[in-house]
Amino acid sequence: DAEITQSPRHKITETGRQVTLACHQTWNHNNMFWYRQDLGHGLRLIHYSYGVQDTNKGEVSDGYSVSRSNTEDLPLTLESAASSQTSVYFCASRRTVNTEAFFGQGTRLTVV
Amino acid sequence: AQSVTQPDIHITVSEGASLELRCNYSYGATPYLFWYVQSPGQGLQLLLKYFSGDTLVQGIKGFEAEFKRSQSSFNLRKPSVHWSDAAEYFCAVAGTDSWGKLQFGAGTQVVVTP
């Protein structure tokens, strides 16, 4: 069955380190998204991509970057991790704008 | 700019009672509308969606939602809640242009009491 997987599921890192969270989907969806979930804020959009070589900033993109070298993967990189980036991160994909988005199980990141 | 508001942060409901969760959106036209549910420690699951047509949409787990253009609302309802409905519920909108971002409200936490 097609799916979307995130790795790792849990990570603890130190302030200032570079961290990359992986997202891999097997639906061949063009649209992929990264969100962070924090209490009281719901899911906030970090970056999104509508296809290979396309990336766009969301509402909370500072300190994060993404790259899209193939359809299946959209890795999220924290250039220099900060305590404010402690959060649960969700990756999602969808085929087109008017179809359902499927979510990964999330990555819980703690920056100490 | 598009936005989504869920006015209720937390709702407590008795098992068997009805449930209504509110969602209001701001967008230049009618966006695509969604309700997702998140159980503790899990990802998000789609409950239902509205794109066009009948303004009352049926979803999974006995949920339904009604789109009201005049009120810019898309409220979620369930006639009789079960203990398993305890979860966090998110309303989301996506613009109908080809670059439509999927944007979420802050969520409503539902607690079900015996």
Side-chain angles (χ1 to χ4, degrees):
Chain A
D1 287 345
E3 60 180 2
I4 181 167
T5 56
Q6 294 182 233
S7 60
R9 293 293 310 278
H10 302 270
K11 185 170 182 66
I12 301 175
T13 191
E14 295 179 342
T15 300
R17 288 192 180 271
Q18 184 180 78
V19 176
T20 297
L21 309 183
C23 176
H24 179 80
Q25 52 98 1
T26 59
W27 280 293
N28 203 35
H29 286 167
N30 286 325
N31 299 177
M32 296 185 72
F33 305 83
W34 273 105
Y35 295 89
R36 60 177 290 174
Q37 183 178 25
D38 305 287
L39 195 63
H41 292 280
L43 281 82
R44 292 181 290 176
L45 185 61
I46 305 172
H47 281 286
Y48 56 106
S49 168
Y50 290 126
V52 176
Q53 301 302 329
D54 176 74
T55 61
N56 305 279
K57 294 181 179 180
E59 60 183 307
V60 291
S61 61
D62 287 349
Y64 303 94
S65 64
V66 294
S67 61
R68 188 87 180 270
S69 59
N70 58 55
T71 301
E72 296 78 18
D73 299 288
L74 188 69
L76 177 71
T77 297
L78 286 68
E79 305 294 345
S80 177
S83 58
S84 60
Q85 294 175 309
T86 292
S87 185
V88 180
Y89 291 85
F90 286 97
C91 179
S93 75
R94 68 181 185 193
R95 184 168 55 84
T96 63
V97 68
N98 62 345
T99 55
E100 175 184 356
F102 294 91
F103 283 79
Q105 291 298 298
T107 295
R108 183 174 296 276
L109 177 68
T110 303
V111 182
V112 299
Chain B
Q2 66 188 57
S3 65
V4 186
T5 302
Q6 293 181 246
D8 304 305
I9 297 172
H10 187 273
I11 286 180
T12 299
V13 60
S14 299
E15 191 167 15
S18 64
L19 174 68
E20 181 168 14
L21 305 182
R22 295 182 291 166
C23 174
N24 294 96
Y25 66 89
S26 173
Y27 189 68
T30 299
Y32 298 130
L33 297 161
F34 307 83
W35 275 100
Y36 283 83
V37 61
Q38 183 182 33
S39 298
Q42 300 297 310
L44 280 77
Q45 180 183 23
L46 181 70
L47 284 176
L48 46 78
K49 60 191 177 188
Y50 174 78
F51 293 155
S52 64
D54 192 344
T55 57
L56 184 64
V57 291
Q58 303 297 320
I60 63 172
K61 304 185 180 187
F63 284 91
E64 66 178 26
E66 185 172 13
F67 168 62
K68 293 185 176 180
R69 186 191 308 274
S70 61
Q71 298 177 19
S72 297
S73 68
F74 188 57
N75 294 348
L76 181 71
R77 299 193 293 254
K78 186 169 185 177
S80 177
V81 299
H82 186 261
W83 64 266
S84 60
D85 294 321
E88 188 153 23
Y89 293 79
F90 294 95
C91 182
V93 302
T96 55
D97 56 64
S98 60
W99 307 108
K101 296 181 294 183
L102 183 60
Q103 187 166 344
F104 286 81
T108 298
Q109 184 72 46
V110 173
V111 173
V112 181
T113 59

